Structures are given as structure tokens and as C-alpha cells.
Amino acid sequence: MNVKQYDAIIIGAGFAGLYMLHKLRERGLSARVLEAADGVGGVWYWSRYPGAKCDSDSIYYSFTFSEELYKKWRWKDRYASQPEILQYLNFVADELNLRPDIQLKTRVTKAKFQEEAKQWEISTDQGEIFEAKYLISGVGCLSTTNIPPFEGSESFKGEQYHTGRWPHDKVDFTGKRVVVIGNGSSGVQTMQEVAKEAKEMTLLMRTPHYVAEARNHPLSKEEQEQAINNYKGIREAFFNTPGGIRLYTTGKSATAFSAKEQKEKLEHIWETGGLSLGSVFTDVSANKEANFVVSQFVRDKIDEIVEDRDTAQLLHPNYYITTKRLIIGTNFYEIFNEDHVHLVSLKDNPIERIVENGVQLKNGTVECDVIIYATGYEAMTGSLLKIDIEGRNGKTIQEKWEDGRNVKTYLGLMMESFPNLFMITGPQSPSVLTNMPAAIEQHVDWIDQCIEYLEEKGIQTIEAQKESELEWAKQCDDLANQTLYPYTNSWYTGANIDGEQRGFVIYVGGLNNYKAICDQVAANDYEGCTFE
Ligand code: N01
């Protein structure tokens, strides 16, 4: 078999893979991106559901590593829609002339570390074999879709879609009865659009969630120019804020304000829109009292907006706000005032099976023509675990992480027994708690500098030490335990899949602090790692 040799193989052509490729090529290394889809874009290639948008302000949802590149692009709206983000990533691929080194329609199925040659052998679903010194994962945190194993789904006579694998052609809901399962970010955005067309729309809701107002709007020419002129400020926010983005904050604990002042601050955020309900007070995610103030504010808003008292009550979330990803929507709660929109709580009336004409619940069947699964992802670890990755001594990543139940990494970047394997925004890094392009740039820059170090010193492999993994896991746990996050079952903990807590696999200390730690590790000659 013809084995293709590269310095580095990068998995995935989303934000992460594109920037990694650019950096390694600038360094003079031969690198190839292998991408399963037939276009670049990563999650933004697949998530084409109606209304799909990013909830980071678009002016921050861009690469900042190149001032020239940043200044060449103009975002149309405050929150960029999926087609626009896909357009942006295609623009980046063209501007940086990345396409010659991106191989589409190629899924990596297996990667095996070869002890003697000290390199990775990578196999694809196209029957190809690649060999490379470095293997870099840009598979993303939210790319492997979760479709709950409801019995009978094959018997359904209508149409079925998952938000994360939406067809390229428009789906027409006119005159149809639509059931939506799931009300996370994807479900909320989808429902706002589907409700405009469908004859009937029913949400089957397992957990009510907090939905803040987005206040999306087209960016004026002045706003676009302001962003361009503020390039340095935006880049500065990437690496000097906890979330890689400037959000509104009072800089004080909720307890520093009277009840009236708290309400005024929260009203201001509701009116200006966005994710700042989580940042308005410094202790929303850490202090139960502060958290209650903000969560009660949203429950009160629901009561103000939703006319039917029972429906409003069912929509009341009761977990600590921000411990599941805060959702932003546009007049989301308002749709439940429309006669053709229905809400069914699954709490005491769970889904039993899918039948040929709808979804059978404990208390009866909801008949429909279309089922939309907005049921999320096997988050954080799912996409890596799907690849058969074998490190030293035949040890697989599934074994190392006990099928995702006991994740062990160093800085979320590397693993013991898996030399020269780097993860961009891997588990135990800040990743999904940040503006993703910021986290991605930080990781790619760090990996690139690490590779420079190895190449300059003629080192063949770098690998995390077991002890550094244990210490890192403890540091992540200790930080998480100072917050309210571990109190809630969510995709942050893996509990969205089977209800089983698997541990909190995100570094919650903020991207700014995390970057300082990573930089220190590099400055100390990659302490915590071993070399060969
Ligand atoms: O997925 P989710 P998502 N029976 O996991 C329900 C990013 N994103 O695709 O809460 C019934 O949040 C589940 O119920 P519960 C963003 O980071 C960003 O919406 O587990 N219901 C929940 O309601 C986001 O957080 C953007 O009880 C079931 C829903 O399905 C992340 O992606 C847009 C079920 C899943 O919600 C994931 O969002 C879209 C079952 N068996 C996505 N299993 C923006 O930038 C699951 N559910 C705006």
C-alpha cells in the first residue's frame, strides 16, 4: 500500500484545523488536514438547521492572529448566522490558500502510534494510510451528534432530522405537524423558525432551560468600522479575559447591590441582549445567592411573557443558571402564546417509543409529520472516542479514559502514552466556556511553539507524565468544586447521554489564567512532560 508521509496530520477542517494548518505550513512543515465533510467549516458545515447562529458576538467570532485577515471581513449581524460563518471559514481557507492541503470526504478511522518509528500511522475510511510525526486533533467539542436510542424510530412514516446533521436543501414545514425533542441552544433557535411555518409545533421538554434575549440586529456600517478599528482591543480580549470575549460586568458580587439595583442591572442586560446574565455579577456561577437573583429574574420574565399560567410554570428552570450553557433566543418564550405551539413536559410523561405516526409518551401519542431531534452532542470526548486511537503498548484512548468516564489529560492538550498527539480545545481545557476562536488560537499557538521547540532541539517525541495528568485533573476538579457547575447534570459533565455524572471535564479558571499556566509550562521547558 502507498503510505503517504507528512510531518503532521490534522483531523478536522473547522476553525481549529484551518489555523493549525496555516501555522505548521508557515513553519515549513508538511501538513495535511483530513476532513470527513465535503467542505471546510467543521460544526458550521453540519449544523444547518433553520435559525442556526453563533451566540458569541460576531466581531469576536473571528480569527485575530492576522490583523490583515481580521480587517478584510465584515460581519453582517451582531450574531452571525450559520451560512455567514461558513462563508467566513471558506473565505479564510481561500485567503490563506489552505485548500491544497485539505483532503475532504475523508474520515480518520484509526490512528496507531508506532513505537519503533516513533510516528503515527493514520488510517481513513477511504482506505488510505498516512504516517506523520505529529497527530493533531481539531475534531471539536460538539461534533458527534447524540440521537437518543428511542425504540421504533425506524417505523416512523414521516421525516426525521437532527439539528447537527441538517440537510443541505431547505426543509419545508408548511402545513406540517412538527415535534421538537430538545430545547438547548439548537432546539430554541430551530423552534423560533419552525413555529413561523408549521401548522402545529410541539416541544417535548425534558428540562426547562434559561433563555436570555439575544437582541440580534444587522450591524451598521459604523458598527462594522468600529470593530475593525478596535482590532487590538478585540485581540486583547481574546487572551486577557476569562471567556476570550468582553461581556458586560459590574465587576462586583450581586450582594454589593440592593434588590432594586440588581433588578436594574439585569433589566439592562435583558434589553441589550446577549450572554451577560452570566457575567453581570462576578459570582453568578459560584454563589448560590447571586445565582438565585439572576435565575429568579428569568423566571419572572417567563411569567411576564407567557400568558398561560401552567405553561409558564412548566417553563420555569430550576437548576443554577449558567451551570448548563446559557441559551440566547429571540422572543423564544413568546412563541408559547401562539395557538399552534404546544408544550409537553416529559417529567412525568416520558417518551416511550417512536411509532409510525408520532411519538408515544407514557400518557398518549403526539401525532406528527416531522420529528426534529435537537438532542445535542456526545460533547467534549465523543468525537475523539469515535476514532480508534492506539498509543504506546496498544493502549487505546477508550481504555485510558474508561470510555469517557475518567478523562486524563495534561492541560487538555496532551496525554501520557500518546506521544506527539495534541488536542485543540480538548477536554480539561477552557474550550466551551469561552469564545471558541480565542481558545482555538491559544491552543494552536501553544502547539505550534511546542513543535518548534521539539524540531529545534531534535527531539522525537513529547508526552505528558502520569503525575502531571493527576495534578491537572485535581486542579480542574478543585476549581470546578468552587463553583456551582458540578451541581447540575449537563453535557458539561457528560450526563446528557445517560444521566450518569462522568466528572466535570472543563477548566473553569478562565482562558486568561489558563494561558498563563500553559505559557509557564512552555517557559519551563515543557515541565510535566517526558521527551525521547
Ligand atoms: O444540545 P444540548 P444543543 N429525551 O445538549 C434534550 C452549542 N451550540 O445542540 O436538558 C428528551 O444543549 C436535552 O434535555 P436535558 C452550545 O454550546 C451553540 O442544543 O438534557 N430530551 C436538551 O434539552 C450548546 O450548549 C449554538 O434534560 C433529550 C436537548 O435535548 C451546545 O452546542 C447553537 C434527550 C439538548 O440540548 C449544545 O446545544 C447551537 C432524551 N433522551 C449549539 N436527550 C449557538 O452558538 C437530550 N435531550 C447559539
Side-chain angles (χ1 to χ4, degrees):
M1 163 150 324
N2 182 14
V3 177
K4 294 166 189 144
Q5 196 76 39
Y6 287 90
D7 291 320
I9 288 291
I10 302 162
I11 312 174
F15 269 93
L18 295 181
Y19 183 38
M20 194 75 245
L21 174 62
H22 174 63
K23 287 301 268 188
L24 294 183
R25 280 200 334 194
E26 274 196 324
R27 191 158 291 299
L29 298 186
S30 63
R32 191 153 191 82
V33 170
L34 303 178
E35 165 60 58
D38 73 351
V40 303
V43 72
W44 296 108
Y45 172 91
W46 298 107
S47 292
R48 295 162 186 260
Y49 60 85
K53 280 188 186 52
C54 174
D55 57 10
S56 285
D57 280 71
S58 58
I59 58 172
Y60 285 92
Y61 203 72
S62 306
F63 285 121
T64 63
F65 63 84
S66 155
E67 183 166 357
E68 192 193 342
L69 188 72
Y70 187 86
K71 292 189 165 176
K72 263 194 175 174
W73 183 261
R74 300 286 182 281
W75 290 105
K76 291 195 202 97
D77 294 324
R78 177 178 179 185
Y79 299 105
S81 64
Q82 176 271 334
E84 199 184 4
I85 301 171
L86 194 55
Q87 228 178 340
Y88 170 73
L89 289 169
N90 276 284
F91 153 82
V92 171
D94 290 332
E95 283 293 311
L96 303 176
N97 189 28
L98 299 175
R99 296 194 196 273
D101 295 311
I102 300 174
Q103 183 171 325
L104 301 173
K105 295 194 203 166
T106 305
R107 182 177 289 282
V108 172
T109 50
K110 188 174 166 70
K112 184 175 164 47
F113 184 69
Q114 299 167 314
E115 301 271 0
E116 267 185 33
K118 299 200 191 322
Q119 61 178 0
W120 285 90
E121 184 190 81
I122 296 121
S123 316
T124 74
D125 64 352
Q126 301 301 309
E128 290 165 299
I129 306 275
F130 295 85
E131 282 176 351
K133 179 172 176 185
Y134 303 107
L135 175 61
I136 304 170
S137 157
V139 296
C141 305
L142 296 156
S143 42
T144 297
T145 50
N146 164 44
I147 302 185
F150 297 125
E151 264 179 55
S153 57
E154 67 297 335
S155 67
F156 182 61
K157 292 271 195 297
E159 304 156 58
Q160 306 187 65
Y161 305 101
H162 188 286
T163 46
R165 285 292 178 277
W166 202 263
H168 286 213
D169 296 329
K170 183 182 157 31
V171 178
D172 187 5
F173 296 103
T174 315
K176 294 181 182 156
R177 298 161 305 164
V178 181
V179 155
V180 180
I181 305 176
N183 50 309
S185 299
S186 307
V188 164
Q189 290 182 341
T190 308
M191 281 184 269
Q192 289 163 182
E193 295 306 311
V194 172
K196 291 177 190 163
E197 266 182 19
K199 184 169 145 208
E200 302 283 333
M201 187 182 80
T202 305
L203 166 62
L204 303 183
M205 179 183 71
R206 190 163 73 174
T207 312
H209 295 145
Y210 297 94
V211 184
E213 268 301 318
R215 309 282 174 211
N216 194 21
H217 56 81
L219 292 177
S220 64
K221 272 229 151 10
E222 291 70 40
E223 285 172 311
Q224 288 174 336
E225 288 316 306
Q226 223 174 6
I228 296 302
N229 294 332
N230 186 30
Y231 162 75
K232 285 200 166 58
I234 286 173
R235 179 141 179 89
E236 192 266 341
F238 258 41
F239 305 122
N240 293 297
T241 61
I245 188 167
R246 286 234 174 266
L247 294 173
Y248 174 79
T249 179
T250 58
K252 293 184 183 154
S253 158
T255 52
F257 299 98
S258 67
K260 182 168 168 281
E261 288 165 335
Q262 288 169 344
K263 177 106 194 312
E264 280 164 7
K265 308 278 175 220
L266 292 166
E267 282 292 353
H268 169 71
I269 287 166
W270 192 264
E271 288 315 313
T272 47
L275 292 168
S276 301
L277 284 181
S279 60
V280 53
F281 307 122
T282 49
D283 48 359
V284 177
S285 300
N287 176 301
K288 291 182 183 173
E289 242 178 276
N291 196 281
F292 181 80
V293 169
V294 183
S295 57
Q296 189 55 40
F297 173 81
V298 179
R299 285 187 288 269
D300 291 345
K301 280 286 169 203
I302 295 170
D303 289 345
E304 266 173 42
I305 297 167
V306 178
E307 288 155 12
D308 179 72
R309 289 305 83 209
D310 292 342
T311 306
Q313 195 60 39
L314 285 179
L315 285 166
H316 274 193
N318 63 5
Y319 55 89
Y320 296 115
I321 189 166
T322 71
T323 57
K324 284 190 180 208
R325 184 70 141 76
L326 187 60
I327 299 166
I328 58 174
T330 298
N331 298 333
F332 171 69
Y333 291 118
E334 280 81 349
I335 62 178
F336 293 96
N337 292 334
E338 296 179 32
D339 290 341
H340 72 300
V341 176
H342 317 288
L343 175 66
V344 175
S345 169
L346 298 175
K347 193 162 167 256
D348 303 312
N349 186 18
I351 297 174
E352 289 196 331
R353 55 183 292 119
I354 310 290
V355 288
E356 62 172 47
N357 61 343
V359 183
Q360 184 184 313
L361 310 177
K362 187 175 151 213
N363 298 337
T365 296
V366 181
E367 292 188 10
C368 61
D369 309 300
V370 184
I371 302 174
I372 298 177
Y373 297 92
T375 42
Y377 298 88
E378 290 178 30
M380 309 309 298
T381 54
S383 300
L384 271 170
L385 287 169
K386 232 169 66 173
I387 306 171
D388 186 4
I389 301 180
E390 205 177 298
R392 283 193 198 282
N393 305 317
K395 185 174 192 170
T396 65
I397 200 165
Q398 286 82 357
E399 284 162 357
K400 183 172 175 77
W401 287 354
E402 296 167 33
D403 286 331
R405 284 174 166 72
N406 188 8
V407 170
K408 295 180 216 83
T409 75
Y410 183 36
L411 306 169
L413 275 160
M414 297 189 265
M415 286 178 288
E416 177 269 336
S417 287
F418 295 81
N420 292 359
L421 167 62
F422 296 100
M423 295 171 288
I424 305 171
T425 65
Q428 296 182 331
S429 77
S431 66
V432 292
L433 293 182
T434 70
N435 173 36
M436 284 306 270
I440 286 168
E441 282 199 20
Q442 186 267 332
H443 262 189
V444 170
D445 290 343
W446 192 92
I447 294 167
D448 173 56
Q449 278 157 23
C450 178
I451 287 177
E452 178 187 33
Y453 180 92
L454 302 177
E455 293 296 306
E456 277 183 358
K457 293 207 172 331
I459 297 170
Q460 284 188 295
T461 64
I462 185 170
E463 181 179 345
Q465 293 168 5
K466 250 192 180 141
E467 303 73 47
S468 14
E469 289 185 336
L470 291 175
E471 275 168 35
W472 184 245
K474 180 167 173 354
Q475 202 167 326
C476 289
D477 281 350
D478 287 351
L479 280 169
N481 288 334
Q482 292 167 34
T483 71
L484 302 170
Y485 286 107
Y487 286 90
T488 304
N489 279 348
S490 68
W491 63 256
Y492 290 158
T493 65
N496 60 321
I497 303 298
D498 51 15
E500 184 181 324
Q501 280 279 358
R502 298 180 182 190
F504 195 79
V505 290
I506 309 167
Y507 175 86
V508 299
L511 186 56
N512 47 350
N513 296 323
Y514 173 80
K515 180 176 187 304
I517 295 170
C518 293
D519 289 348
Q520 195 57 51
V521 166
N524 292 346
D525 291 317
Y526 298 92
E527 62 181 344
C529 300
T530 50
F531 303 95
E532 275 184 353

